[in-house]
Amino acid sequence: SAVISQKPSRDICQRGTSLTIQCQVDSQVTMMFWYRQQPGQSLTLIATANQGSEATYESGFVIDKFPISRPNLTFSTLTVSNMSPEDSSIYLCSDYDPNTEAFFGQGTRLTVV
Amino acid sequence: QKEVEQNSGPLSVPEGAIASLNCTYSDRGSQSFFWYRQYSGKSPELIMSIYSNGDKEDGRFTAQLNKASQYVSLLIRDSQPSDSATYLCAVNYGGSQGNLIFGKGTKLSVKP
């Protein structure tokens, strides 16, 4: 299984600012995903990070708000832009190989004040 | 709309008992099924994966899949207080697409 390192692990940010979350995998993976977990809720997929092309966003999520980069097969970033208190959540990155399972980074707990 | 349904709980069982967690899914084309355990404030941790009908056992955990009934379950034998967590059922509808749909999770409490 891949080891996924995510940082920062937590942050408190002012509304209107942006935060970039980094996700590093210790091996090359085909797919990387970004999820949001709002307080008391399950995981909601934000987007699929594609290497060499634009990310694929799920309904309700847009690139201007959540720009994503995937410069290579081991690294991705998610930016939460122009933050508001409603963006306070845990953000998780994940890899997935259809032949195995999905594993998660340790998550970024974001609080917007 | 592809959905994964779980009872939110909380499910409370005494230490040493069997905990039974259930999950249903809406799309018959689903191919892969996963159970994750999530402790409060932590990220999900893979417990079991199952891909074909029947039972799959790993230590104290048994996953059961019934594709005809669109039903997957997780049994935890000899439950321990350390098993107290939220258990998330996840379904891969997309084959090579990879993205998982998660249920809302069942909160399990194992009482000493």
Side-chain angles (χ1 to χ4, degrees):
Chain A
S1 64
V3 175
I4 302 175
S5 301
Q6 189 175 336
K7 60 180 181 181
S9 58
R10 60 178 62 229
D11 208 340
I12 300 173
C13 300
Q14 297 290 323
R15 69 178 67 200
T17 63
S18 298
L19 175 72
T20 295
I21 302 167
Q22 299 180 6
C23 184
Q24 178 76 53
V25 188
D26 68 345
S27 60
Q28 292 185 344
V29 294
T30 305
M31 296 178 177
M32 294 180 71
F33 303 91
W34 288 96
Y35 290 86
R36 180 175 73 182
Q37 188 173 29
Q38 294 177 303
Q41 302 297 314
S42 190
L43 280 71
T44 301
L45 181 66
I46 297 172
T48 302
N50 303 308
Q51 195 269 329
S53 64
E54 279 196 359
T56 304
Y57 289 84
E58 297 299 303
S59 176
F61 298 96
V62 296
I63 188 171
D64 289 348
K65 176 67 175 177
F66 298 101
I68 286 171
S69 76
R70 180 91 193 271
N72 56 54
L73 292 175
T74 64
F75 186 78
S76 179
T77 67
L78 169 76
T79 299
V80 186
S81 302
N82 189 25
M83 288 183 284
S84 67
E86 292 72 32
D87 294 320
S88 297
S89 290
I90 297 173
Y91 293 85
L92 294 150
C93 69
S94 167
D95 75 329
Y96 182 70
D97 181 335
N99 298 316
T100 60
E101 299 94 1
F103 296 93
F104 289 87
Q106 61 266 52
T108 297
R109 183 181 293 272
L110 171 62
T111 302
V112 183
V113 297
Chain B
Q1 182 79 0
K2 294 173 177 160
E3 295 181 340
V4 177
E5 299 285 345
Q6 294 181 255
N7 289 327
S8 61
L11 173 66
S12 184
V13 301
E15 183 175 357
I18 296 175
S20 178
L21 305 164
N22 304 314
C23 173
T24 59
Y25 57 96
S26 63
D27 194 306
R28 288 189 177 276
S30 304
Q31 300 175 18
S32 309
F33 307 86
F34 306 91
W35 283 99
Y36 287 85
R37 177 175 63 197
Q38 187 174 28
Y39 293 113
S40 180
K42 302 294 184 182
S43 64
E45 171 192 9
L46 181 68
I47 297 293
M48 292 283 286
S49 59
I50 187 165
Y51 303 94
S52 56
N53 280 328
D55 294 0
K56 179 181 178 183
E57 186 174 320
D58 184 0
R60 296 187 295 112
F61 299 97
T62 299
Q64 299 175 317
L65 175 61
N66 184 326
K67 289 187 177 181
S69 301
Q70 297 174 234
Y71 175 90
V72 58
S73 66
L74 179 70
L75 300 178
I76 306 174
R77 290 182 298 281
D78 188 22
S79 296
Q80 301 297 309
S82 59
D83 295 325
S84 298
T86 297
Y87 289 79
L88 301 168
C89 174
V91 177
N92 176 11
Y93 286 105
S96 62
Q97 298 304 308
N99 48 304
L100 300 178
I101 308 296
F102 284 83
K104 293 184 184 293
T106 299
K107 187 170 185 177
L108 172 66
S109 178
V110 181
K111 303 295 186 183

